[in-house]
Amino acid sequence: AQSVTQLGSHVSVSEGALVLLRCNYSSSVPPYLFWYVQYPNQGLQLLLKYTSAATLVKGINGFEAEFKKSETSFHLTKPSAHMSDAAEYFCAVTLSTGNQFYFGTGTSLTVIP
Amino acid sequence: DTAVSQTPKYLVTQMGNDKSIKCEQNLGHDTMYWYKQDSKKFLKIMFSYNNKELIINETVPNRFSPKSPDKAHLNLHINSLELGDSAVYFCASSHRVNTEAFFGQGTRLTVV
């Protein structure tokens, strides 16, 4: 069975500081991994995805994530937080042979001016 | 053009009523989903359809019945609504079952 764990349900950073949101996955076969962002009262928007190509994946809005098989991790980073980054972030996993996404419990990012 | 659209965006109804949520995607995708997001933001798959065929039916009360008249539509009908059904329901679609999903804006259902 596959799953994702997001460490830290709430993360606060100062504007301009590094953003680091953690995601660890569990999968018996090579996974496909995704990060989604949800702004208040909106649907989920894809930030980036890993599908077995380059391990460092760049996404929209300056975000990137690195797939580390040895650590079973797919942490999301952004060098400099902006006020507009405040949102809920979800990590998700599926398999090349899978038929659904498994979402983490989400991390709420607060950016302090 | 909205890629995945759901209607209505808000739905307030009394216990015991029957209601439907409609979903349409114009992306030409083969797979569509319904997810439920609870008050703690946890997302849980409810149903998944591929080419109009049901492929996932998680442990959901049979009061919930999806209907897919064609590949572009996946509607959700809920009978005998209960207080615990209050949540945000998201429709999503993807090209195939394991590619990235595109989400609608959600339907906030409140049962009073």
Side-chain angles (χ1 to χ4, degrees):
Chain A
Q2 49 279 343
S3 65
V4 290
T5 301
Q6 291 184 241
L7 294 175
S9 58
H10 293 88
V11 170
S12 293
V13 299
S14 297
E15 190 174 14
L18 172 72
V19 175
L20 171 61
L21 305 182
R22 300 178 186 274
C23 173
N24 287 88
Y25 69 91
S26 171
S27 175
S28 55
V29 297
Y32 291 171
L33 294 158
F34 306 83
W35 274 100
Y36 283 86
V37 61
Q38 184 180 25
Y39 299 104
N41 298 315
Q42 293 191 25
L44 280 73
Q45 179 183 2
L46 181 70
L47 273 178
L48 49 80
K49 62 181 179 181
Y50 166 78
T51 55
S52 75
T55 56
L56 182 62
V57 181
K58 294 187 184 298
I60 62 171
N61 301 339
F63 284 93
E64 63 181 39
E66 186 172 9
F67 173 72
K68 291 188 177 180
K69 185 178 178 181
S70 61
E71 298 177 8
T72 61
S73 68
F74 190 58
H75 301 331
L76 182 70
T77 60
K78 181 174 180 177
S80 176
H82 192 273
M83 296 299 294
S84 61
D85 294 327
E88 191 85 19
Y89 291 80
F90 292 92
C91 183
V93 64
T94 187
L95 304 178
S96 59
T97 55
N99 58 10
Q100 64 166 295
F101 295 86
Y102 295 88
F103 283 89
T105 50
T107 298
S108 177
L109 176 67
T110 300
V111 181
I112 304 166
Chain B
D1 278 347
T2 303
V4 182
S5 59
Q6 297 176 230
T7 54
K9 189 175 170 80
Y10 299 97
L11 184 54
V12 181
T13 188
Q14 291 187 325
M15 284 176 56
N17 282 351
D18 302 339
K19 290 292 179 185
S20 294
I21 306 172
K22 294 186 176 182
C23 179
E24 176 182 5
Q25 55 96 0
N26 62 7
L27 298 167
H29 287 165
D30 290 336
T31 307
M32 295 186 73
Y33 312 83
W34 277 108
Y35 281 87
K36 179 180 180 180
Q37 186 175 46
D38 62 23
S39 58
K40 296 184 178 180
K41 303 281 188 180
F42 182 66
L43 277 158
K44 182 174 169 55
I45 184 82
M46 298 176 70
F47 302 103
S48 174
Y49 271 71
N50 188 51
N51 282 320
K52 300 195 302 175
E53 297 294 323
L54 180 67
I55 57 172
I56 292 176
N57 183 356
E58 288 293 304
T59 307
V60 176
N62 56 15
R63 298 181 294 104
F64 290 79
S65 55
K67 291 283 193 302
S68 182
D70 55 57
K71 280 193 342 179
H73 296 84
L74 181 61
N75 304 322
L76 183 64
H77 188 76
I78 316 169
N79 290 327
S80 303
L81 278 155
E82 300 177 357
L83 291 176
D85 297 331
S86 296
V88 181
Y89 292 85
F90 285 101
C91 178
S93 73
S94 63
H95 180 53
R96 296 187 304 274
V97 292
N98 56 8
T99 56
E100 65 267 30
F102 293 79
F103 283 78
Q105 293 294 294
T107 296
R108 183 174 294 277
L109 172 65
T110 303
V111 183
V112 297

